[in-house]
Amino acid sequence: MFDKVLIANRGEIALRIHRACREMGIHTVAVHSTADENAMHVRLADESVCIGPAPSADSYLNIPNIVSAAMITGAEAIHPGYGFLSENAYFAEIVEAHGIAFIGPSPQHIQTMGDKVAAKKTMIEAGVPVVPGSEGAVGSPEDARQTAESIGYPVLIKASGGGGGKGMKVAETAETLAEQINLARREAKANFGDESVYLEKYLANPRHIELQIVADEQGGVVHLGERDCSLQRKHQKVLEEAPSPALNAAERERLGEIGCTAIRRLGYRNAGTLEFLYENGEFYFIEMNTRLQVEHPVSEAISGIDIVREQIRIAAGAPLSFRQKDIDFQGHAIECRINAEDPATFAPWPGRIVEYHPPGGLGVRVDSGLYAGYSVPPYYDSMIAKLIVHGATRNECLMRLRRALEEFVITGVRTTIPLHQELTAQSDFINGRYDIRWLEDYVAGQAAV
Ligand code: MV4
Protein backbone atom coordinates (compact mmCIF):
# COMPACT_ATOMS: atom_id res chain seq x y z
CA MET A 1 0.00 0.00 0.00
CA PHE A 2 1.07 3.59 -0.54
CA ASP A 3 2.67 5.45 2.34
CA LYS A 4 1.87 8.93 0.98
CA VAL A 5 -0.81 10.26 -1.38
CA LEU A 6 -1.05 13.74 -2.89
CA ILE A 7 -4.56 15.18 -3.14
CA ALA A 8 -4.81 17.27 -6.34
CA ASN A 9 -8.05 19.03 -5.48
CA ARG A 10 -9.73 21.38 -3.00
CA GLY A 11 -12.87 21.77 -0.92
CA GLU A 12 -15.02 18.95 0.38
CA ILE A 13 -13.60 16.33 -1.96
CA ALA A 14 -10.03 17.02 -0.84
CA LEU A 15 -11.20 16.48 2.73
CA ARG A 16 -13.08 13.32 1.66
CA ILE A 17 -9.91 11.87 0.12
CA HIS A 18 -7.84 12.88 3.16
CA ARG A 19 -10.29 11.01 5.41
CA ALA A 20 -10.01 7.80 3.37
CA CYS A 21 -6.20 8.02 3.43
CA ARG A 22 -6.11 8.61 7.19
CA GLU A 23 -8.25 5.55 7.85
CA MET A 24 -5.85 3.50 5.71
CA GLY A 25 -2.79 4.78 7.56
CA ILE A 26 -1.65 6.76 4.52
CA HIS A 27 0.07 10.14 4.87
CA THR A 28 -1.42 13.01 2.88
CA VAL A 29 -0.05 15.94 0.93
CA ALA A 30 -2.45 18.81 0.27
CA VAL A 31 -1.77 21.16 -2.62
CA HIS A 32 -3.53 24.51 -2.62
CA SER A 33 -3.73 27.90 -4.28
CA THR A 34 -2.96 31.10 -2.37
CA ALA A 35 -6.75 31.53 -1.92
CA ASP A 36 -7.00 28.19 -0.07
CA GLU A 37 -4.22 28.37 2.53
CA ASN A 38 -6.81 28.27 5.33
CA ALA A 39 -8.81 25.36 3.89
CA MET A 40 -9.74 22.56 6.29
CA HIS A 41 -8.02 19.84 4.24
CA VAL A 42 -4.80 21.88 4.18
CA ARG A 43 -4.89 22.11 7.99
CA LEU A 44 -5.52 18.39 8.39
CA ALA A 45 -3.03 17.07 5.81
CA ASP A 46 0.39 15.92 6.97
CA GLU A 47 2.08 18.27 4.50
CA SER A 48 0.95 21.03 2.19
CA VAL A 49 2.41 22.74 -0.85
CA CYS A 50 1.23 26.00 -2.41
CA ILE A 51 0.97 25.40 -6.15
CA GLY A 52 0.08 28.86 -7.40
CA PRO A 53 -2.22 31.87 -7.36
CA ALA A 54 -6.02 31.76 -7.01
CA PRO A 55 -7.10 31.21 -10.65
CA SER A 56 -7.45 27.45 -11.29
CA ALA A 57 -5.46 27.66 -14.52
CA ASP A 58 -2.42 28.73 -12.47
CA SER A 59 -2.85 26.30 -9.56
CA TYR A 60 -5.28 23.34 -9.59
CA LEU A 61 -4.75 22.91 -13.36
CA ASN A 62 -1.00 23.54 -13.22
CA ILE A 63 0.44 20.12 -14.10
CA PRO A 64 4.17 20.95 -13.66
CA ASN A 65 3.54 22.44 -10.21
CA ILE A 66 1.41 19.53 -9.03
CA VAL A 67 3.84 16.87 -10.29
CA SER A 68 6.74 18.83 -8.76
CA ALA A 69 4.90 18.92 -5.43
CA ALA A 70 4.53 15.13 -5.57
CA MET A 71 8.23 14.64 -6.41
CA ILE A 72 9.43 17.00 -3.66
CA THR A 73 7.25 15.41 -0.97
CA GLY A 74 7.83 11.85 -2.15
CA ALA A 75 4.14 11.10 -2.75
CA GLU A 76 3.69 7.72 -4.43
CA ALA A 77 0.22 8.39 -5.81
CA ILE A 78 -2.03 11.29 -6.81
CA HIS A 79 -5.80 11.36 -6.31
CA PRO A 80 -7.33 13.91 -8.70
CA GLY A 81 -10.83 14.09 -7.12
CA TYR A 82 -13.48 15.40 -9.55
CA GLY A 83 -13.32 18.36 -11.95
CA PHE A 84 -9.92 20.04 -12.52
CA LEU A 85 -7.47 17.42 -13.90
CA SER A 86 -9.51 14.34 -13.01
CA GLU A 87 -10.44 13.50 -16.62
CA ASN A 88 -7.31 14.82 -18.29
CA ALA A 89 -5.63 11.82 -19.98
CA TYR A 90 -2.42 13.83 -20.50
CA PHE A 91 -2.19 14.51 -16.75
CA ALA A 92 -2.68 10.80 -15.95
CA GLU A 93 0.06 9.96 -18.46
CA ILE A 94 2.52 12.54 -17.08
CA VAL A 95 1.89 11.37 -13.52
CA GLU A 96 2.60 7.75 -14.49
CA ALA A 97 5.66 8.79 -16.54
CA HIS A 98 7.10 10.20 -13.30
CA GLY A 99 6.68 6.87 -11.56
CA ILE A 100 3.70 8.10 -9.56
CA ALA A 101 0.44 6.10 -9.47
CA PHE A 102 -2.63 7.88 -10.84
CA ILE A 103 -5.64 6.98 -8.68
CA GLY A 104 -8.02 6.49 -11.57
CA PRO A 105 -8.33 4.60 -14.85
CA SER A 106 -5.66 4.25 -17.54
CA PRO A 107 -4.94 7.34 -19.68
CA GLN A 108 -6.30 5.37 -22.67
CA HIS A 109 -9.70 4.81 -21.03
CA ILE A 110 -9.89 8.47 -19.98
CA GLN A 111 -9.06 9.50 -23.55
CA THR A 112 -11.63 7.21 -25.17
CA MET A 113 -14.49 8.20 -22.84
CA GLY A 114 -13.59 11.89 -23.20
CA ASP A 115 -14.37 11.62 -26.91
CA LYS A 116 -18.14 11.12 -26.87
CA VAL A 117 -18.24 9.58 -30.36
CA ALA A 118 -15.50 7.07 -29.45
CA ALA A 119 -17.21 6.37 -26.11
CA LYS A 120 -20.51 5.57 -27.80
CA LYS A 121 -18.84 3.33 -30.40
CA THR A 122 -16.95 1.50 -27.65
CA MET A 123 -20.15 0.96 -25.65
CA ILE A 124 -22.08 -0.32 -28.70
CA GLU A 125 -19.28 -2.87 -29.22
CA ALA A 126 -19.54 -3.81 -25.53
CA GLY A 127 -23.24 -4.57 -25.96
CA VAL A 128 -24.63 -1.46 -24.27
CA PRO A 129 -27.88 0.07 -25.60
CA VAL A 130 -27.41 3.65 -26.82
CA VAL A 131 -29.69 6.41 -28.11
CA PRO A 132 -30.41 5.80 -31.82
CA GLY A 133 -28.25 8.18 -33.84
CA SER A 134 -25.49 8.72 -36.36
CA GLU A 135 -22.74 6.15 -36.57
CA GLY A 136 -19.91 8.38 -35.46
CA ALA A 137 -19.51 12.03 -36.33
CA VAL A 138 -21.65 13.47 -39.14
CA GLY A 139 -20.06 14.36 -42.49
CA SER A 140 -21.58 16.42 -45.28
CA PRO A 141 -24.92 18.28 -44.90
CA GLU A 142 -26.46 15.68 -47.21
CA ASP A 143 -25.16 12.84 -45.01
CA ALA A 144 -26.57 14.63 -41.95
CA ARG A 145 -29.96 15.13 -43.62
CA GLN A 146 -30.22 11.45 -44.50
CA THR A 147 -29.17 10.34 -41.02
CA ALA A 148 -31.66 12.71 -39.36
CA GLU A 149 -34.40 11.44 -41.68
CA SER A 150 -33.75 7.86 -40.65
CA ILE A 151 -33.58 8.71 -36.91
CA GLY A 152 -36.73 10.83 -37.10
CA TYR A 153 -37.18 14.41 -35.85
CA PRO A 154 -36.59 16.05 -33.47
CA VAL A 155 -32.87 15.26 -33.45
CA LEU A 156 -30.25 16.43 -30.99
CA ILE A 157 -26.84 17.61 -32.23
CA LYS A 158 -24.05 16.92 -29.76
CA ALA A 159 -20.35 17.84 -29.78
CA SER A 160 -17.89 14.89 -29.89
CA GLY A 161 -15.59 16.78 -27.54
CA GLY A 162 -18.48 17.86 -25.35
CA GLY A 163 -20.35 16.33 -22.49
CA GLY A 164 -22.21 17.95 -19.69
CA GLY A 165 -24.62 19.54 -22.17
CA LYS A 166 -22.25 22.08 -23.72
CA GLY A 167 -22.80 22.75 -27.41
CA MET A 168 -26.05 20.76 -27.72
CA LYS A 169 -28.62 21.94 -30.29
CA VAL A 170 -32.07 20.61 -31.19
CA ALA A 171 -33.30 20.45 -34.77
CA GLU A 172 -37.10 20.16 -34.77
CA THR A 173 -37.40 19.74 -38.52
CA ALA A 174 -35.29 19.21 -41.66
CA GLU A 175 -35.53 22.94 -42.39
CA THR A 176 -33.46 23.92 -39.34
CA LEU A 177 -31.01 20.98 -39.39
CA ALA A 178 -28.16 22.56 -41.39
CA GLU A 179 -28.36 25.80 -39.45
CA GLN A 180 -28.40 24.04 -36.04
CA ILE A 181 -25.46 21.87 -37.07
CA ASN A 182 -23.47 24.98 -37.98
CA LEU A 183 -24.30 26.58 -34.62
CA ALA A 184 -23.29 23.40 -32.79
CA ARG A 185 -20.02 23.15 -34.78
CA ARG A 186 -19.10 26.76 -33.99
CA GLU A 187 -19.75 26.25 -30.25
CA ALA A 188 -17.89 22.94 -30.26
CA LYS A 189 -14.89 24.49 -32.00
CA ALA A 190 -14.79 27.42 -29.54
CA ASN A 191 -15.24 25.24 -26.41
CA PHE A 192 -13.37 22.04 -27.22
CA GLY A 193 -11.21 22.89 -30.25
CA ASP A 194 -12.98 20.11 -32.17
CA GLU A 195 -15.89 20.89 -34.47
CA SER A 196 -17.07 17.33 -34.99
CA VAL A 197 -20.67 16.65 -33.96
CA TYR A 198 -22.99 13.65 -33.93
CA LEU A 199 -26.74 13.19 -34.07
CA GLU A 200 -29.13 11.47 -31.69
CA LYS A 201 -32.84 10.97 -31.46
CA TYR A 202 -34.04 13.68 -29.07
CA LEU A 203 -35.70 12.11 -26.02
CA ALA A 204 -38.36 14.49 -24.71
CA ASN A 205 -38.80 13.58 -21.03
CA PRO A 206 -36.21 11.08 -19.88
CA ARG A 207 -34.75 10.56 -16.43
CA HIS A 208 -31.01 10.67 -15.87
CA ILE A 209 -29.95 7.43 -14.23
CA GLU A 210 -26.33 6.49 -13.72
CA LEU A 211 -24.61 3.30 -12.59
CA GLN A 212 -21.64 3.36 -10.20
CA ILE A 213 -19.04 0.71 -10.86
CA VAL A 214 -15.68 -0.25 -9.36
CA ALA A 215 -13.19 -2.52 -11.13
CA ASP A 216 -9.79 -3.89 -10.15
CA GLU A 217 -6.69 -4.93 -12.13
CA GLN A 218 -7.56 -8.61 -11.62
CA GLY A 219 -10.81 -8.47 -13.60
CA GLY A 220 -13.10 -7.97 -10.61
CA VAL A 221 -16.08 -5.76 -11.53
CA VAL A 222 -18.84 -4.78 -9.11
CA HIS A 223 -21.66 -2.24 -9.44
CA LEU A 224 -22.84 -0.25 -6.43
CA GLY A 225 -26.33 0.40 -7.76
CA GLU A 226 -27.81 3.30 -9.67
CA ARG A 227 -28.39 6.94 -8.79
CA ASP A 228 -31.21 9.09 -10.06
CA CYS A 229 -29.70 12.46 -11.00
CA SER A 230 -32.65 13.92 -12.89
CA LEU A 231 -32.95 16.98 -10.65
CA GLN A 232 -30.60 19.34 -12.44
CA ARG A 233 -30.54 23.01 -13.32
CA LYS A 234 -28.43 24.27 -16.23
CA HIS A 235 -26.62 20.90 -16.27
CA GLN A 236 -25.71 21.24 -12.59
CA LYS A 237 -27.07 18.47 -10.39
CA VAL A 238 -28.96 19.77 -7.36
CA LEU A 239 -30.15 16.61 -5.57
CA GLU A 240 -29.37 12.93 -6.21
CA GLU A 241 -30.89 9.77 -4.80
CA ALA A 242 -30.27 6.04 -4.72
CA PRO A 243 -31.99 3.83 -5.65
CA SER A 244 -34.00 5.55 -8.40
CA PRO A 245 -37.70 5.75 -7.50
CA ALA A 246 -38.46 5.04 -11.18
CA LEU A 247 -36.95 1.55 -11.52
CA ASN A 248 -38.41 -1.81 -10.59
CA ALA A 249 -36.25 -4.72 -9.42
CA ALA A 250 -36.03 -6.30 -12.89
CA GLU A 251 -34.91 -3.02 -14.53
CA ARG A 252 -32.35 -2.47 -11.78
CA GLU A 253 -30.97 -5.97 -12.27
CA ARG A 254 -30.76 -5.47 -16.04
CA LEU A 255 -28.91 -2.15 -15.67
CA GLY A 256 -26.34 -3.75 -13.36
CA GLU A 257 -25.83 -6.63 -15.81
CA ILE A 258 -25.40 -4.32 -18.81
CA GLY A 259 -22.93 -2.11 -16.93
CA CYS A 260 -20.75 -4.82 -15.42
CA THR A 261 -20.56 -6.78 -18.69
CA ALA A 262 -19.42 -3.66 -20.56
CA ILE A 263 -16.82 -2.67 -17.96
CA ARG A 264 -15.40 -6.21 -18.01
CA ARG A 265 -15.13 -6.18 -21.83
CA LEU A 266 -13.45 -2.77 -21.75
CA GLY A 267 -10.82 -3.90 -19.24
CA TYR A 268 -11.56 -0.74 -17.31
CA ARG A 269 -10.05 -0.24 -13.86
CA ASN A 270 -10.90 1.97 -10.85
CA ALA A 271 -14.21 3.79 -10.21
CA GLY A 272 -16.44 4.86 -13.05
CA THR A 273 -19.98 5.91 -13.84
CA LEU A 274 -22.10 4.93 -16.82
CA GLU A 275 -24.69 7.62 -17.58
CA PHE A 276 -28.01 6.63 -19.10
CA LEU A 277 -31.19 8.32 -20.16
CA TYR A 278 -34.20 6.26 -19.11
CA GLU A 279 -37.56 6.57 -20.86
CA ASN A 280 -40.50 4.14 -21.17
CA GLY A 281 -38.65 1.29 -19.51
CA GLU A 282 -35.55 1.56 -21.74
CA PHE A 283 -31.97 2.57 -20.88
CA TYR A 284 -29.88 4.53 -23.38
CA PHE A 285 -26.17 5.05 -22.65
CA ILE A 286 -25.04 8.65 -23.22
CA GLU A 287 -21.64 9.15 -21.55
CA MET A 288 -19.16 7.61 -19.16
CA ASN A 289 -17.43 9.50 -16.34
CA THR A 290 -13.97 8.15 -15.58
CA ARG A 291 -13.68 9.77 -12.16
CA LEU A 292 -15.04 9.85 -8.64
CA GLN A 293 -18.29 11.83 -8.67
CA VAL A 294 -19.75 14.46 -6.38
CA GLU A 295 -22.74 12.21 -5.64
CA HIS A 296 -20.73 9.07 -4.80
CA PRO A 297 -21.83 9.18 -1.11
CA VAL A 298 -25.41 8.07 -1.92
CA SER A 299 -23.96 4.88 -3.43
CA GLU A 300 -21.72 4.47 -0.38
CA ALA A 301 -24.75 4.83 1.89
CA ILE A 302 -26.81 2.09 0.22
CA SER A 303 -23.89 -0.29 -0.47
CA GLY A 304 -21.76 0.22 2.65
CA ILE A 305 -18.65 0.50 0.44
CA ASP A 306 -16.07 3.29 0.86
CA ILE A 307 -15.49 4.13 -2.82
CA VAL A 308 -12.40 6.29 -2.26
CA ARG A 309 -10.78 3.54 -0.18
CA GLU A 310 -11.42 1.09 -3.01
CA GLN A 311 -9.97 3.53 -5.56
CA ILE A 312 -6.76 3.76 -3.57
CA ARG A 313 -6.55 -0.01 -3.08
CA ILE A 314 -7.12 -0.62 -6.81
CA ALA A 315 -4.43 1.92 -7.78
CA ALA A 316 -2.01 0.09 -5.44
CA GLY A 317 -2.75 -3.16 -7.31
CA ALA A 318 -4.98 -4.75 -4.66
CA PRO A 319 -8.12 -6.67 -5.66
CA LEU A 320 -11.60 -5.49 -4.67
CA SER A 321 -12.31 -6.63 -1.13
CA PHE A 322 -15.81 -7.89 -2.09
CA ARG A 323 -17.78 -9.50 -4.93
CA GLN A 324 -21.18 -8.56 -6.29
CA LYS A 325 -22.92 -11.14 -4.08
CA ASP A 326 -21.34 -9.55 -0.98
CA ILE A 327 -23.08 -6.25 -1.66
CA ASP A 328 -26.31 -6.11 0.31
CA PHE A 329 -28.10 -2.92 -0.73
CA GLN A 330 -29.76 -1.27 2.24
CA GLY A 331 -32.45 1.39 2.26
CA HIS A 332 -32.50 4.73 0.52
CA ALA A 333 -30.14 7.71 0.36
CA ILE A 334 -30.52 11.31 -0.82
CA GLU A 335 -27.83 13.96 -1.28
CA CYS A 336 -28.48 17.71 -1.36
CA ARG A 337 -25.77 19.89 -2.86
CA ILE A 338 -25.54 23.05 -0.80
CA ASN A 339 -24.13 25.97 -2.74
CA ALA A 340 -23.11 29.44 -1.63
CA GLU A 341 -25.70 31.02 -3.90
CA ASP A 342 -28.87 33.03 -3.67
CA PRO A 343 -31.55 30.30 -3.42
CA ALA A 344 -33.88 32.09 -5.86
CA THR A 345 -31.53 33.58 -8.48
CA PHE A 346 -28.57 31.18 -8.06
CA ALA A 347 -26.17 34.15 -8.07
CA PRO A 348 -22.88 33.04 -6.41
CA TRP A 349 -22.49 34.35 -2.86
CA PRO A 350 -18.91 34.02 -1.65
CA GLY A 351 -17.96 35.51 1.72
CA ARG A 352 -17.15 34.87 5.33
CA ILE A 353 -19.01 32.15 7.25
CA VAL A 354 -20.28 33.59 10.55
CA GLU A 355 -22.10 30.61 12.10
CA TYR A 356 -21.78 26.96 11.10
CA HIS A 357 -23.86 24.25 12.70
CA PRO A 358 -24.21 21.09 10.61
CA PRO A 359 -26.98 18.58 11.37
CA GLY A 360 -26.18 15.19 12.87
CA GLY A 361 -27.85 12.10 14.23
CA LEU A 362 -28.48 8.65 12.83
CA GLY A 363 -28.23 8.38 9.05
CA VAL A 364 -26.92 11.92 8.53
CA ARG A 365 -23.59 12.69 6.83
CA VAL A 366 -22.22 16.12 5.96
CA ASP A 367 -19.21 16.39 3.65
CA SER A 368 -17.87 19.92 3.86
CA GLY A 369 -14.70 21.87 4.58
CA LEU A 370 -16.63 24.73 6.18
CA TYR A 371 -16.06 26.18 9.64
CA ALA A 372 -17.09 29.43 11.34
CA GLY A 373 -14.70 32.17 10.25
CA TYR A 374 -13.80 30.46 6.96
CA SER A 375 -14.06 32.64 3.85
CA VAL A 376 -15.64 31.05 0.78
CA PRO A 377 -13.39 32.28 -2.05
CA PRO A 378 -14.99 33.69 -5.21
CA TYR A 379 -12.71 31.81 -7.63
CA TYR A 380 -14.15 28.31 -7.62
CA ASP A 381 -17.34 26.26 -7.79
CA SER A 382 -19.99 27.47 -5.34
CA MET A 383 -20.70 24.08 -3.73
CA ILE A 384 -19.76 24.38 -0.03
CA ALA A 385 -21.37 21.30 1.52
CA LYS A 386 -23.15 18.05 0.76
CA LEU A 387 -25.85 16.72 3.04
CA ILE A 388 -26.33 12.97 2.62
CA VAL A 389 -29.15 11.24 4.44
CA HIS A 390 -29.81 7.50 4.67
CA GLY A 391 -32.97 5.74 5.84
CA ALA A 392 -34.50 2.27 5.77
CA THR A 393 -37.12 3.40 3.24
CA ARG A 394 -37.46 6.37 0.90
CA ASN A 395 -40.06 7.86 3.21
CA GLU A 396 -37.83 7.54 6.28
CA CYS A 397 -35.00 9.09 4.28
CA LEU A 398 -37.20 11.98 3.20
CA MET A 399 -38.47 12.71 6.73
CA ARG A 400 -34.88 12.58 8.00
CA LEU A 401 -33.71 14.88 5.21
CA ARG A 402 -36.32 17.50 6.07
CA ARG A 403 -35.32 17.26 9.73
CA ALA A 404 -31.62 17.64 8.85
CA LEU A 405 -32.23 20.62 6.53
CA GLU A 406 -34.13 22.33 9.34
CA GLU A 407 -31.14 21.90 11.70
CA PHE A 408 -28.51 23.11 9.23
CA VAL A 409 -27.25 26.61 10.11
CA ILE A 410 -24.90 28.47 7.79
CA THR A 411 -24.85 32.25 8.15
CA GLY A 412 -22.70 34.94 6.55
CA VAL A 413 -23.41 33.75 3.01
CA ARG A 414 -26.63 32.88 1.19
CA THR A 415 -27.08 29.17 0.53
CA THR A 416 -29.38 26.85 -1.38
CA ILE A 417 -30.66 25.23 1.86
CA PRO A 418 -34.04 27.03 1.49
CA LEU A 419 -34.33 25.71 -2.08
CA HIS A 420 -33.88 22.14 -0.81
CA GLN A 421 -36.49 22.74 1.88
CA GLU A 422 -38.98 23.84 -0.77
CA LEU A 423 -38.03 21.09 -3.18
CA THR A 424 -38.40 18.29 -0.63
CA ALA A 425 -41.91 19.55 0.21
CA GLN A 426 -43.17 19.26 -3.40
CA SER A 427 -45.64 16.44 -4.04
CA ASP A 428 -43.91 15.49 -7.33
CA PHE A 429 -40.64 15.01 -5.46
CA ILE A 430 -42.31 13.20 -2.56
CA ASN A 431 -43.92 10.83 -5.08
CA GLY A 432 -40.70 10.40 -7.06
CA ARG A 433 -42.40 11.79 -10.16
CA TYR A 434 -39.81 13.93 -11.86
CA ASP A 435 -37.68 13.90 -15.02
CA ILE A 436 -34.75 15.97 -16.32
CA ARG A 437 -37.05 18.94 -17.09
CA TRP A 438 -38.82 19.05 -13.73
CA LEU A 439 -36.50 21.32 -11.73
CA GLU A 440 -36.02 23.84 -14.50
CA ASP A 441 -39.82 24.10 -14.88
CA TYR A 442 -40.27 24.40 -11.12
CA VAL A 443 -37.69 27.19 -10.85
CA ALA A 444 -39.27 29.05 -13.79
CA GLY A 445 -42.68 28.71 -12.11
CA GLN A 446 -41.34 30.11 -8.82
CA ALA A 447 -39.72 33.07 -10.60
CA ALA A 448 -43.08 33.90 -12.22
CA VAL A 449 -44.90 34.01 -8.84
C1 MV4 B 1 -29.89 14.03 -24.38
C2 MV4 B 1 -31.17 14.53 -24.06
C3 MV4 B 1 -32.24 14.12 -24.81
N1 MV4 B 1 -32.04 13.26 -25.85
N2 MV4 B 1 -29.75 13.18 -25.41
C4 MV4 B 1 -27.44 16.77 -21.36
C5 MV4 B 1 -26.07 16.62 -20.84
C6 MV4 B 1 -25.45 15.48 -21.56
N3 MV4 B 1 -24.73 14.69 -20.62
C7 MV4 B 1 -26.57 14.76 -22.22
N4 MV4 B 1 -27.73 15.59 -22.07
C8 MV4 B 1 -28.89 15.26 -22.67
N5 MV4 B 1 -28.80 14.39 -23.70
C9 MV4 B 1 -30.81 12.80 -26.12
N6 MV4 B 1 -30.64 11.99 -27.15
C10 MV4 B 1 -31.29 15.42 -22.97
C11 MV4 B 1 -30.14 15.79 -22.28
C12 MV4 B 1 -30.37 16.70 -21.17
C13 MV4 B 1 -30.16 16.29 -19.85
C14 MV4 B 1 -29.67 15.02 -19.55
C15 MV4 B 1 -29.46 14.64 -18.25
C16 MV4 B 1 -29.76 15.52 -17.21
C17 MV4 B 1 -30.25 16.76 -17.48
C18 MV4 B 1 -30.45 17.18 -18.80
C19 MV4 B 1 -30.95 18.45 -19.06
C20 MV4 B 1 -31.15 18.83 -20.36
C21 MV4 B 1 -30.85 17.97 -21.41
Side-chain angles (χ1 to χ4, degrees):
M1 188 42 64
F2 306 122
D3 173 63
K4 197 186 275 188
V5 166
L6 182 142
I7 303 163
N9 215 297
R10 63 178 303 282
E12 69 84 21
I13 200 63
L15 183 55
R16 168 71 187 89
I17 297 161
H18 168 82
R19 285 172 171 157
C21 290
R22 255 297 179 279
E23 291 180 15
M24 298 173 81
I26 298 171
H27 296 98
T28 56
V29 180
V31 293
H32 63 88
S33 72
T34 52
D36 280 338
E37 33 184 34
N38 296 317
M40 185 60 90
H41 80 278
V42 174
R43 294 186 179 191
L44 288 170
D46 294 292
E47 293 169 80
S48 65
V49 180
C50 181
I51 50 164
S56 304
D58 303 322
S59 48
Y60 297 105
L61 295 172
N62 189 326
I63 296 177
N65 287 8
I66 293 169
V67 174
S68 300
M71 303 296 282
I72 291 164
T73 57
E76 302 154 71
I78 296 182
H79 196 307
Y82 53 66
F84 297 124
L85 296 168
S86 62
E87 290 179 293
N88 184 317
Y90 174 74
F91 177 60
E93 206 174 293
I94 289 290
V95 167
E96 287 181 352
H98 283 76
I100 303 164
F102 179 77
I103 304 177
S106 71
Q108 188 54 60
H109 282 116
I110 299 174
Q111 177 85 43
T112 303
M113 297 306 160
D115 175 341
K116 305 305 160 188
V117 164
K120 205 172 162 183
K121 184 166 178 282
T122 305
M123 288 302 170
I124 293 170
E125 287 164 5
V128 177
V130 302
V131 190
S134 56
E135 272 176 49
V138 292
S140 66
E142 178 51 26
D143 165 48
R145 202 189 55 75
Q146 273 181 20
T147 305
E149 213 61 57
S150 69
I151 301 169
Y153 288 91
V155 297
L156 193 57
I157 305 146
K158 294 184 173 182
S160 305
K166 261 196 203 154
M168 286 189 349
K169 297 280 172 237
V170 184
E172 298 286 349
T173 63
E175 282 67 55
T176 58
L177 181 67
E179 155 196 346
Q180 293 299 92
I181 288 179
N182 284 338
L183 281 174
R185 282 202 196 284
R186 212 169 310 151
E187 240 174 77
K189 177 104 182 154
N191 281 295
F192 320 112
D194 173 6
E195 65 167 16
S196 58
V197 297
Y198 61 107
L199 303 185
E200 272 183 3
K201 173 83 191 152
Y202 179 66
L203 303 180
N205 301 106
R207 295 178 80 114
H208 177 148
I209 294 178
E210 57 186 33
L211 184 76
Q212 175 71 54
I213 60 97
V214 281
D216 62 27
E217 294 271 18
Q218 292 74 27
V221 177
V222 175
H223 75 80
L224 302 179
E226 85 281 3
R227 299 184 284 255
D228 199 315
C229 303
S230 301
L231 289 175
Q232 309 205 3
R233 186 189 154 270
K234 296 195 187 300
H235 301 294
Q236 293 292 320
K237 292 170 186 162
V238 171
L239 179 154
E240 308 94 353
E241 62 179 314
S244 169
L247 300 191
N248 61 37
E251 290 172 318
R252 181 163 296 121
E253 171 97 18
R254 183 156 57 90
L255 182 63
E257 269 305 313
I258 293 169
C260 287
T261 304
I263 291 302
R264 218 168 275 126
R265 288 196 195 160
L266 258 59
Y268 184 89
R269 66 146 205 258
N270 218 279
T273 298
L274 297 162
E275 291 190 349
F276 295 85
L277 295 178
Y278 170 80
E279 200 175 64
N280 302 324
E282 297 296 331
F283 297 103
Y284 305 95
F285 168 84
I286 48 170
E287 290 171 26
M288 179 169 181
N289 301 319
T290 55
R291 60 165 194 279
L292 180 68
Q293 291 197 249
V294 176
E295 59 273 26
H296 76 277
V298 295
S299 302
E300 296 187 322
I302 63 161
S303 69
I305 299 298
D306 179 335
I307 298 174
V308 178
R309 179 188 181 92
E310 292 308 317
Q311 285 192 291
I312 296 168
R313 284 174 47 89
I314 294 162
L320 288 171
S321 45
F322 47 84
R323 293 173 190 235
Q324 193 67 58
K325 64 169 170 48
D326 302 322
I327 307 288
D328 180 19
F329 291 105
Q330 290 291 337
H332 200 93
I334 301 178
E335 172 180 280
C336 291
R337 296 190 185 195
I338 295 164
N339 295 347
E341 290 173 0
D342 181 282
T345 66
F346 302 95
W349 216 276
R352 193 175 164 84
I353 305 296
V354 177
E355 296 165 289
Y356 181 64
H357 179 83
L362 183 65
V364 176
R365 166 177 175 182
V366 176
D367 278 17
S368 173
L370 285 198
Y371 55 88
Y374 172 75
S375 280
V376 178
Y379 306 101
Y380 314 106
D381 188 272
S382 63
M383 194 182 74
I384 52 173
K386 305 191 302 203
L387 169 61
I388 306 101
V389 168
H390 187 216
T393 62
R394 188 168 186 270
N395 190 54
E396 185 179 288
C397 183
L398 190 49
M399 296 301 280
R400 185 166 283 160
L401 175 58
R402 294 217 200 110
R403 181 278 280 175
L405 284 166
E406 202 172 274
E407 284 179 27
F408 215 148
V409 178
I410 301 175
T411 65
V413 299
R414 293 187 186 174
T415 79
T416 50
I417 292 173
L419 171 77
H420 287 293
Q421 287 177 312
E422 268 183 45
L423 195 57
T424 52
Q426 297 302 308
S427 60
D428 283 343
F429 179 70
I430 293 167
N431 296 318
R433 268 188 237 120
Y434 58 86
D435 59 28
I436 62 166
R437 315 264 165 230
W438 191 92
L439 184 60
E440 212 101 43
D441 291 349
Y442 173 75
V443 170
Q446 292 302 106
V449 172

